[in-house]
Amino acid sequence: LVILDSDDAFAKNAVSLIYAELDKVIASENIGVLSFLGGNNKGDSINTFHEECVCSHFDYQYKYNGKGDRCEVLKTDILKNHRFPEFEGERFCPEALVWNRIAKTFMFKYIPAILILKDYQPGGLTSKIVEIRMKSPIAACTYYSELSHSSIPLTAKLKATINYWRFQRYIKSSEEIQKPHFLLSLFAFPISFLMSLKDKIGC
C-alpha cells in the first residue's frame, strides 16, 4: 500500500522501483516499510538522507538527521494493525503518529531513489500545519506525548514536550492523554506558552 497526497505524482519508474524491492520486504519479518525519496518538479531530491539503510524510523530521524517528505510503501497487514486513530470533532492526524507506532515493532528500509514528485500548494497542509494542529489538538498532543516517551535524544524529548503543551491549550474535551515527563514539562511550559501566543497572532 502506498499513500499519496493530492499534490503528489509518481515518478515515471515508480512501479518498477517498488517491484525491485518488494520481494525482499515480503520475505522479511523485521522490515515492514519501504521508504523512498521525494522529489520536486525538477526531479531533484527534497530529502537530506540519501543512503540505503535498514534501521529504525527513530534512528533515521535522530541518528541520521533525515528530513524532508518521503514516500512509504507498507505491507497492508501492518497498516491494518496500525490504523490511523480517529478523534471526535477533528479532521487531521499526523502520519508520523502512525509511523512511530509501526517503528516500535518493524524496521524501515530507506532507499535512495525518488518515487514521488511533490508540488506543494499555497493552501496545502504543509503551509498551514500550525493552524491545522490547533484545530486538531487531541491528535497533535497524542503524537507529541508518544514521541516524548519514545527512545529519542533528550533535546528531541524536550521539543516534543514543548509542542505538547503548545497545543494542549486548545483541547476543550476531557480526553485523557498521557502527559510528558514532569521535569521536562517544567522547562517546556514557559516556552510553549510564548509559542502559543505567537500562534494565535499568526492565525
Side-chain angles (χ1 to χ4, degrees):
L1 189 142
V2 187
I3 298 174
L4 291 173
D5 293 339
S6 58
D7 52 2
D8 294 344
F10 270 133
K12 290 182 179 180
N13 61 336
V15 175
S16 61
L17 286 173
I18 294 172
Y19 270 103
E21 297 290 340
L22 210 53
D23 289 341
K24 304 172 190 176
V25 174
I26 291 174
S28 171
E29 294 183 0
N30 296 323
I31 301 173
V33 181
L34 294 172
S35 182
F36 290 87
L37 298 174
N40 57 26
N41 286 331
K42 297 179 181 180
D44 299 321
S45 170
I46 58 174
N47 303 107
T48 60
F49 183 75
H50 299 95
E51 304 296 326
E52 181 169 315
C53 176
V54 175
C55 66
S56 158
H57 180 56
F58 295 113
D59 280 347
Y60 166 76
Q61 290 179 283
Y62 300 107
K63 182 178 179 179
Y64 301 115
N65 199 32
K67 298 185 185 303
D69 287 338
R70 301 179 69 101
C71 183
E72 285 76 25
V73 181
L74 304 97
K75 292 179 180 177
T76 305
D77 286 344
I78 291 176
L79 194 56
K80 283 182 177 179
N81 292 324
H82 297 81
R83 293 180 180 273
F84 279 76
E86 296 182 32
F87 303 98
E88 186 175 354
E90 298 192 358
R91 301 179 60 188
F92 177 77
C93 176
E95 289 181 7
L97 173 62
V98 178
W99 302 154
N100 289 350
R101 290 178 175 182
I102 292 173
K104 293 180 179 179
T105 307
F106 297 97
M107 303 293 277
F108 284 49
K109 182 173 183 180
Y110 294 92
I111 300 165
I114 294 175
L115 192 73
I116 55 168
L117 304 176
K118 303 187 73 69
D119 183 19
Y120 294 106
Q121 301 298 313
L125 293 178
T126 303
S127 65
K128 295 184 176 181
I129 193 61
V130 173
E131 182 182 351
I132 289 169
R133 287 179 174 165
M134 290 168 64
K135 293 179 179 178
S136 297
I138 300 174
C141 287
T142 299
Y143 163 65
Y144 286 120
S145 171
E146 292 185 10
L147 184 60
S148 74
H149 289 283
S150 300
S151 298
I152 60 177
L154 182 60
T155 53
K157 287 178 180 284
L158 179 59
K159 184 178 179 180
T161 302
I162 290 170
N163 279 310
Y164 171 89
W165 291 111
R166 175 186 185 183
F167 295 108
Q168 194 271 345
R169 294 175 170 83
Y170 303 103
I171 297 178
K172 299 178 181 178
S173 69
S174 58
E175 186 80 18
E176 286 292 329
I177 304 173
Q178 183 183 16
K179 293 180 174 58
H181 295 290
F182 177 74
L183 289 177
L184 284 177
S185 294
L186 287 178
F187 286 99
F189 197 82
I191 301 172
S192 70
F193 177 72
L194 294 175
M195 292 184 73
S196 65
L197 288 178
K198 182 181 178 182
D199 293 339
K200 288 181 179 179
I201 294 171
C203 293

